[in-house]
Amino acid sequence: MREAAFVKQNKDKWLRFESVLSNNTTIDPDELSDLYIEITDHLSFAKTFYAKSNTEHYLNQLASQAHQKIYKTKKESKNRLISFFKTEFPLLFYYHQRELLVSFLVFSLFVIVGAYSAATEVDFVRSILGDAYVNMTLENIENNDPMAVYKKMGEFNMFLGITINNIKVALMAFAYGILCGIGSLFIMLQNGIMLGSFQYFFYEKGLLWESVRTIWIHGTFEISVIIIAGCSGLVLGNGMLFTGTYTRLESFKRGVINGLKILISTIPFFIIAGFLEGFVTRHTEMPDWLAILIIAGSLSIIIFYYVIYPRQLHKKQNLISNKSN
């Protein structure tokens, strides 16, 4: 059966089931269980014949929501946030690894462009970072404290200011996705060039390692989630461009919702990045091994949560679905 025919044949059932879940309608548990079994049957069929399609994604979300509703407890409302980060979001993000890869590759490309431009154009770094910042950093280097910029503000004020600023950048990366995703890629371009020129500036001064072991204490989380925010904008843009079996409006709504969920997932990491920049990065006297441990730990958390864990959870859910069938 062609996918369009399969959707047409079962769409009314799915919409009714989705309405029951979305509106928290109270129905007989046995009836809900029967509906759940039917949905998982359809999901199994879609996985077999329409793998990686929007139909499979939609049914997978329905099945996940139904499972949560059937087995919910009185503490469910308190655990909603935990459930989002533990189950709902990772299952969703499994289907958006491609957008994450595109965001990462574009960002990385323009890091290289930024570094190359800084190496070949004398005033490029000043045009990107500004004269005030460059002059201040040169003065700090002369005073044998090149990372002094992270010590000028109070810990809490820096933490708060940096966190708010980073969340603003993430919101822009998402919102600009409305421009068919191009706006989000532009934000990746801007930040990539800035990072590349910034790192080359310290390399040119013979301070590459000093900058890396200091800046990436907070930068690992910060840069990673900016890239993920770019991914959220691409999801929004894709919802407008690639409708699949949905109407353009339905596809756009799904793009907005899924993009927002991805954006929301970054907030805790932005807070952690802000905390590290405000309270930890300033301690430039810390031993290299400790800085490396923080950087490696941060990178491991990001890779696990956004790449490995969604795959593990998706695989686990497939096994559960197959057993129930």
Side-chain angles (χ1 to χ4, degrees):
M1 182 186 297
R2 296 181 63 182
E3 184 180 0
F6 177 67
V7 172
K8 185 177 180 180
Q9 179 179 319
N10 297 290
K11 186 176 181 180
D12 290 340
K13 294 179 185 177
W14 301 342
L15 290 176
R16 175 174 171 272
F17 189 47
E18 184 176 14
S19 177
V20 169
L21 296 175
S22 300
N23 298 325
N24 289 319
T25 305
T26 302
I27 64 173
D28 182 75
D30 291 335
E31 182 183 354
L32 182 61
S33 180
D34 290 341
L35 287 170
Y36 173 64
I37 291 171
E38 188 172 16
I39 289 296
T40 54
D41 286 341
H42 291 167
L43 174 59
S44 180
F45 185 85
K47 284 177 179 177
T48 303
F49 297 101
Y50 320 119
K52 300 287 185 180
S53 67
N54 284 334
T55 302
E56 183 200 347
H57 184 197
Y58 172 73
L59 290 172
N60 194 58
Q61 285 188 313
L62 270 187
S64 177
Q65 291 173 28
H67 185 273
Q68 292 173 23
K69 188 174 180 70
I70 291 170
Y71 298 105
K72 72 178 181 179
T73 67
K74 293 180 180 179
K75 295 182 179 179
E76 184 183 68
S77 59
K78 296 180 181 178
N79 295 333
R80 179 68 181 86
L81 199 60
I82 295 173
S83 175
F84 172 79
F85 284 100
K86 185 179 178 181
T87 306
E88 182 181 341
F89 168 73
L91 285 173
L92 164 71
F93 201 64
Y94 171 81
Y95 293 96
H96 297 296
Q97 297 290 301
R98 182 174 57 183
E99 289 92 335
L100 176 63
L101 179 61
V102 171
S103 184
F104 170 76
L105 291 177
V106 170
F107 184 89
S108 300
L109 171 64
F110 284 101
V111 168
I112 296 170
V113 170
Y116 178 78
S117 299
T120 55
E121 296 183 33
V122 177
D123 295 326
F124 185 78
V125 173
R126 288 184 177 273
S127 68
I128 297 297
L129 302 179
D131 287 332
Y133 182 85
V134 172
N135 292 336
M136 176 188 66
T137 304
L138 289 173
E139 184 179 340
N140 291 337
I141 292 172
E142 290 178 5
N143 295 331
N144 295 317
D145 193 3
M147 300 293 117
V149 65
Y150 296 106
K151 307 172 186 178
K152 291 188 178 295
M153 291 179 64
E155 287 96 334
F156 183 77
N157 287 338
M158 176 171 276
F159 157 64
L160 193 62
I162 291 296
T163 301
I164 292 172
N165 180 70
N166 286 339
I167 291 175
K168 284 181 180 178
V169 173
L171 284 170
M172 287 174 60
F174 168 69
Y176 283 14
I178 198 75
L179 302 174
C180 300
I182 296 174
S184 301
L185 294 179
F186 179 73
I187 298 296
M188 296 303 99
L189 177 154
Q190 281 185 317
N191 284 273
I193 287 177
M194 188 179 298
L195 177 61
S197 60
F198 179 83
Q199 288 287 198
Y200 186 83
F201 173 70
F202 283 101
Y203 166 76
E204 193 175 41
K205 302 301 177 183
L207 294 166
L208 179 62
W209 171 243
E210 180 65 21
S211 70
V212 168
R213 53 93 62 197
T214 302
I215 294 161
W216 287 93
I217 286 174
H218 64 270
T220 304
F221 276 127
E222 183 179 292
I223 297 301
S224 296
V225 286
I226 284 175
I227 292 171
I228 292 161
C231 166
S232 74
L234 292 179
V235 170
L236 169 59
N238 284 349
M240 299 174 62
L241 294 173
F242 307 108
T243 60
T245 56
Y246 302 105
T247 66
R248 191 163 298 279
L249 180 60
E250 287 175 338
S251 181
F252 173 68
K253 287 179 180 178
R254 291 175 66 81
V256 171
I257 292 170
N258 291 342
L260 273 173
K261 287 180 178 180
I262 295 170
L263 184 66
I264 289 169
S265 79
T266 66
I267 293 176
F269 296 107
F270 275 127
I271 293 172
I272 295 171
F275 175 83
L276 289 172
E277 186 164 358
F279 291 90
V280 181
T281 300
R282 65 180 57 238
H283 295 288
T284 55
E285 75 283 357
M286 76 168 63
D288 285 353
W289 68 264
L290 181 55
I292 292 170
L293 183 64
I294 295 172
I295 293 167
S298 301
L299 184 60
S300 298
I301 290 170
I302 289 292
I303 292 174
F304 175 75
Y305 186 67
Y306 284 99
V307 179
I308 298 173
Y309 183 56
R311 296 170 187 269
Q312 289 180 341
L313 202 59
H314 179 78
K315 184 177 180 180
K316 181 179 179 181
Q317 190 183 58
N318 278 348
L319 290 174
I320 293 172
S321 297
N322 291 335
K323 285 180 180 179
S324 67
N325 293 327

